[in-house]
Amino acid sequence: MSLASRTRLAALLAAFSVGAAGVTTWAYGYGTERQPAAPEAVVRPSVTEGSALQVVAHPDDDLFFMNPDLSRSISTGIKVTTVYLTSGESDGRNEAHGPHLQDAAGPADHAAYAEARQNGIRGAYAQMATGNRTSAWQRKSVPTAGGGSAEVDVLVARPEVNLVWMQLREARSISGDNPDSLRGLWDGRVTALGAQLTSGTPVKDSFTYTKEQAIAAIADVFAMYRPTTIRTQDPTPGRAAGGGAFLDHQDHMYGARFVQAAADSYARTPDRPHFSVQNYVSYPNSSLPPTLDPRTAEEKLGYLKTYAWMDRQDWCGSPAGCGDRKTATRPAGAGWSQAIRYSRGDGTSWMAEGVAGRLWAFAALDGRMAYWTRSGPEAPWQGPRFLPGSGIDTGATAARLPDGRIAVLATRTTLGTAPQDYGRDVVYAVQSAPDGAFGPWQSLGTPDTADQSGTSAISEPSVSVDPAGRMTVYVRDSGRTLRARAQAAPDAPFGAWQALGGAGLQGDPVTATDASGRRHVYAATAGSVLAWVQPAPDAPLAGPYPTGLPQTTGALSAGPEGDGVRLYFRRPGTGAVGTTLATAAAGGGGGAPQFSPVADAGGRAGYGAVGIAGRLLAGRAGAGTVSTAGAEGPDPQSWQESRMLYTGAPAAVAESAGTAFAAVLGLDAELHVTPPAPAGPAPLGSRPPGPWHRAVPSTAGQPPR
C-alpha cells in the first residue's frame, strides 16, 4: 500500500468516532501523542501489555482453537484484533442436522451464509468483551494493498476490540483438490484468488488478489495494527500415515503460510515494535486428550454456542441469520472446546547459565533469534539483541557446553520464491568462546527428507551435552517417531539422522541426565509416555520403553534430581501438574526406568508446559496468567499468580550460586523474569518468589509499545 493509501486508511479508522464515554478517536492510538520518556528506569510488577492479533482462515477457527487465550486477552483490556482470511462460505447453506436441530434446507446462498457466520462471530466477541452479544459494532470498508478492500468492525463499547474481514474465497473442502483456494494461490495453480463478499458487508466492489498482493494486504494489516503477538494456525501440520491426506484443513495450513510470508515482509518495515508468533494446533486436537479444566471448557463452549445461534432468537436483525447453524449440530466440535495446544514454542529449555552467573535467554522475535543476557547476580539484563538470519520459527532450545559456551537450537522455515522451495530444517549456533560472539547458523537439515509438500511436522529440537562436550539433538519427525543426530567429537560435524523408534509421539521430546551420567529421553503419546535411557554412560540409547505412566496432555518437562530424572506434566481434563521420579532399573543392568507414584505438584488448573528449576515451577494457573509454585509443598493447590498473560512456555534455570530464576515472553514481546529463589528444597509452607517484572525495565513515563 502506498503512503497515501495508508494515510487514507488511518484517517478512515480514526473516523470511527464512537461518541460514547468521551471516546473520539479510534482505539489504537491514532491522534494520540506519546509523552517524552523520563531518563530513569522503573521496575514494576508485570501486567498484561502489548497488542494481540489473531489471523485465522475461517470464522470460528479462533473460537475453536485459540480460546481461552483469546477471551483472556480481551478481558485484560489490551488491543485485540482478529483477521479472517476467507469468508467461510462453504456450501452456502446455513443449516444444522442432528437430534432436535433439523433446519429446513434452502437454496445455496454463499453470501448469506458467510454473513450469518459474521453475525455469530460479532455476537461471540461482544459476549467475551461485554457480556452482551447484542453490543453494537461500527463497520467500515477500508482499502487494502493490491486494490482490494476489507471490512473492519470496531466494538463500540470496547473499541480496542476489532475484527478484520479479508473476504477471500475458501476452498470449500477440507482436503479436496480445488485450485481456486488459498492452497491453489500459494502453489501457483491460479494466478489470482477472488473475493466472496458477504451480504450486508460495507465492502461493495469485488476484487482479486495475486499471491504477492494477498501477502502485501496481510502485511499491511500488521503495519496498521502493530501487534506485539501474532497468533496463527499451523503451516506444517503433517500428513496422515503413509503420506495421505493433510492432518488439518488445507485453508488452515496454507492460510498460515500466507501469514508467515506477510510477517516476514512486515518484519522488514522500519519503526515497528518487536513481535512474536504463536502457532496453534487445529483439527489434530480431535485425537488428543483434553487440556482444559471443566470450568474453562464450559466457558469456551458458551462462546461457541453464541456463535452457533443455538437459541434461534433474532437478536441481530439479519435475514441471513445470527450465527452458524452448521456449528449448532456440534458446538463442541470434535472435542475442540476442551483443548488448546501450541504446535510450536511449547519447550521450556530456552534459558541457560553459561559461565558462572551469566544467564542467557532466547526467543524468536520478528522471525529472528533474539537473546537477552545478564552478566552476574547484581548486573542488569541487556537485550534483546539478535543473531543474524531470518526465518527462525517460534521456539528455542539452549544448552551449556562444558567450557561455558552456549549453544542455541531452533527450526527454520525457508519460504523461497517457488512453492517447492518451502521447507523447514533444524539449525544451531554456538559461541566462539565463553561469553563470546555466536557463530553462524548451521543446518542439521530435517529427518523428513521425503517431504515434497513442505508439511514437515518436526518438533522443536531437544539437546543433550555429554561431559566431553558432544551434542546430541532429538526431534519428533512427521511420522511421529524419535530421530537423533549426534556429534562424534566436540565441535565436530553431526552424523546422519538416526531412527530411534516409538510411535504416535506428541509434543516435543525432553531430555535430562541423571547423577550417574545416564541420559534419559521422554516423549508423550496420546495415551502415556515412552522412555529411552542409556544403560550406562556413553552407551547407546536404549528403548523405547513403555513407562506405564498415565495419560498426559502432551507437554513434558524433565530435570535431574538426585539419582534420577523428574518429569512434570499436565493431567488431562483438570490441568493440574503431576510429577514422577524416574530412576535406574533394579539391578543396574539397563532396561526400563522405574517410576515413583505420580504426585500433585501444584496448580488446580492450567495448560501448557511447566518450567522447572529445582523446586521452582512456573506455568499457567487457572486464570491463564504466569504463576510460580514450589514443588510438592504442603498445599499443592497453591500458585502465586501474577497479572500477566504470556506466549509460549516458561523457562527456568538453577544457577551455580544456588538460586533459581523463571522467565517468560509476555504478550508485549518483552522478557519477564522472577526475582531469585532458592533452587533447593524450600521450608514447608514457604512461598515462591514474586513479583514478575520486565527483565529490561521500562523507562518511567514511557507507555508500552
Side-chain angles (χ1 to χ4, degrees):
M1 183 184 292
S2 68
L3 178 61
S5 296
R6 185 170 292 164
T7 302
R8 288 195 299 272
L9 176 54
L12 283 169
L13 293 173
F16 283 155
S17 177
V18 300
V23 179
T24 57
T25 58
W26 188 54
Y28 277 48
Y30 294 104
T32 63
E33 295 182 358
R34 292 194 172 198
Q35 299 298 317
E40 71 275 10
V42 178
V43 175
R44 298 187 180 94
S46 296
V47 297
T48 301
E49 294 178 328
S51 172
L53 186 146
Q54 296 73 225
V55 189
V56 293
H58 311 115
D60 76 10
D61 291 342
D62 45 347
L63 301 181
F64 274 127
F65 308 122
M66 296 180 179
N67 248 346
D69 282 358
L70 171 60
S71 61
R72 286 168 173 163
S73 298
I74 291 173
S75 71
T76 66
I78 65 169
K79 304 164 186 177
V80 176
T81 301
T82 301
V83 182
Y84 302 92
L85 298 180
T86 79
S87 289
E89 70 275 7
S90 185
D91 62 359
R93 291 180 167 86
N94 191 14
E95 56 190 13
H97 297 284
H100 314 296
L101 286 174
Q102 284 81 7
D103 292 340
D109 188 334
H110 294 99
Y113 177 52
E115 182 190 354
R117 296 187 76 171
Q118 278 197 357
N119 291 334
I121 287 291
R122 281 189 286 268
Y125 272 74
Q127 183 183 1
M128 286 188 285
T130 71
N132 178 10
R133 66 180 175 181
T134 66
S135 195
W137 296 81
Q138 286 194 352
R139 302 168 62 187
K140 191 78 174 180
S141 175
V142 298
T144 64
S149 297
E151 177 181 335
V152 175
D153 300 346
V154 177
L155 185 61
V156 174
R158 292 279 304 277
E160 71 275 11
V161 177
N162 283 206
L163 307 175
V164 179
W165 306 90
M166 305 299 287
Q167 299 193 87
L168 286 167
R169 188 187 191 278
E170 72 148 286
R172 303 181 184 179
S173 170
I174 293 174
S175 57
D177 185 13
N178 178 11
D180 196 16
S181 62
L182 290 171
R183 176 185 176 187
L185 187 64
W186 181 269
D187 287 343
R189 299 181 65 191
V190 294
T191 58
L193 182 62
Q196 171 58 70
L197 300 184
T198 66
S199 55
T201 181
V203 177
K204 300 305 179 187
D205 296 324
S206 193
F207 55 88
T208 62
Y209 287 142
T210 65
K211 179 179 180 179
E212 292 72 22
Q213 287 171 333
I215 292 169
I218 301 167
D220 219 55
V221 172
F222 294 164
M224 292 309 307
Y225 284 92
R226 298 169 57 83
T228 52
T229 297
I230 296 174
R231 295 167 173 154
T232 188
Q233 294 170 278
D234 188 355
T236 54
R239 289 182 177 270
F246 300 140
L247 293 176
D248 204 352
H249 196 297
Q250 60 182 312
D251 282 346
H252 295 173
M253 60 182 288
Y254 282 94
R257 294 187 186 190
F258 275 99
V259 174
Q260 281 184 306
D264 180 70
S265 175
Y266 172 57
R268 294 194 295 271
T269 62
D271 190 29
R272 53 154 181 79
H274 294 307
F275 65 90
S276 67
V277 176
Q278 183 73 73
N279 301 93
Y280 289 78
V281 174
S282 298
Y283 284 1
N285 276 320
S286 302
S287 59
L288 299 176
T291 63
L292 299 178
D293 65 277
R295 180 177 178 179
T296 303
E298 186 63 27
E299 178 187 354
K300 177 175 177 176
L301 181 59
Y303 303 134
L304 284 160
K305 288 180 176 179
T306 295
Y307 166 75
W309 194 23
M310 296 293 291
D311 62 8
R312 300 299 302 271
Q313 294 182 11
D314 183 15
W315 58 266
C316 67
S318 169
C322 298
D324 181 4
R325 292 293 294 163
K326 290 186 188 299
T327 301
T329 301
R330 190 167 56 170
W336 303 329
S337 67
Q338 299 176 341
I340 184 171
R341 279 185 175 83
Y342 307 130
S343 59
R344 302 179 184 181
D346 218 10
T348 62
S349 299
W350 48 268
M351 188 164 63
E353 183 181 29
V355 297
R358 168 73 83 168
L359 293 184
W360 300 84
F362 299 86
L365 294 181
D366 316 335
R368 298 182 292 162
M369 183 60 72
Y371 66 90
W372 295 259
T373 186
R374 189 212 67 182
S375 61
E378 304 301 323
W381 284 87
Q382 304 289 331
R385 298 167 182 160
F386 291 85
L387 301 187
S390 60
I392 301 300
D393 297 330
T394 297
T397 302
R400 182 190 188 275
L401 303 182
D403 61 1
R405 289 180 296 154
I406 294 293
V408 57
L409 298 93
T411 64
R412 177 177 61 186
T413 293
T414 300
L415 295 171
T417 57
Q420 61 269 24
D421 296 333
Y422 184 92
R424 296 179 70 199
D425 62 338
V426 178
V427 294
Y428 72 101
V430 182
Q431 286 180 310
S432 58
D435 275 357
F438 283 88
W441 288 111
Q442 301 181 65
S443 177
L444 296 178
T446 173
D448 292 342
T449 55
D451 177 35
Q452 299 300 313
S453 59
T455 59
S456 178
I458 56 175
S459 70
E460 189 173 321
S462 179
V463 62
S464 63
V465 182
D466 70 12
R470 296 171 296 192
M471 291 189 288
T472 302
V473 176
Y474 304 95
V475 299
R476 182 209 69 230
D477 64 15
S478 287
R480 302 288 165 178
T481 69
L482 187 67
R483 306 292 289 272
R485 287 192 73 174
Q487 290 177 312
D491 296 317
F494 283 74
W497 286 104
Q498 305 169 36
L500 299 181
L505 304 187
Q506 305 294 331
D508 302 325
V510 296
T511 183
T513 302
D514 64 26
S516 65
R518 301 188 322 152
R519 186 182 312 144
H520 298 228
V521 179
Y522 296 96
T525 68
S528 184
V529 176
L530 294 178
W532 291 257
V533 183
Q534 288 178 305
D538 292 329
L541 204 65
Y545 298 114
T547 63
L549 291 175
Q551 188 180 54
T552 76
T553 62
L556 305 177
S557 302
E561 182 177 312
D563 293 332
V565 167
R566 183 165 289 278
L567 282 177
Y568 292 89
F569 50 84
R570 296 278 188 180
R571 296 177 182 269
T574 67
V577 179
T579 183
T580 181
L581 181 66
T583 54
Q594 298 176 337
F595 295 88
S596 66
V598 175
D600 287 333
R604 291 167 291 183
Y607 52 89
V610 177
I612 58 171
R615 293 305 195 185
L616 176 66
L617 307 182
R620 281 182 179 83
T625 57
V626 62
S627 307
T628 50
E632 297 184 290
D635 180 9
Q637 302 292 315
S638 62
W639 283 102
Q640 185 174 354
E641 298 194 24
S642 73
R643 296 177 55 201
M644 184 182 63
L645 303 176
Y646 63 98
T647 186
V653 62
E655 297 183 281
S656 55
T659 54
F661 279 87
V664 293
L665 189 68
L667 298 188
D668 55 2
E670 299 276 2
L671 183 71
H672 297 254
V673 298
T674 62
L684 291 180
S686 64
R687 296 187 64 79
W692 290 83
H693 58 273
R694 276 185 174 150
V696 180
S698 59
T699 304
Q702 183 176 4
R705 294 176 305 176

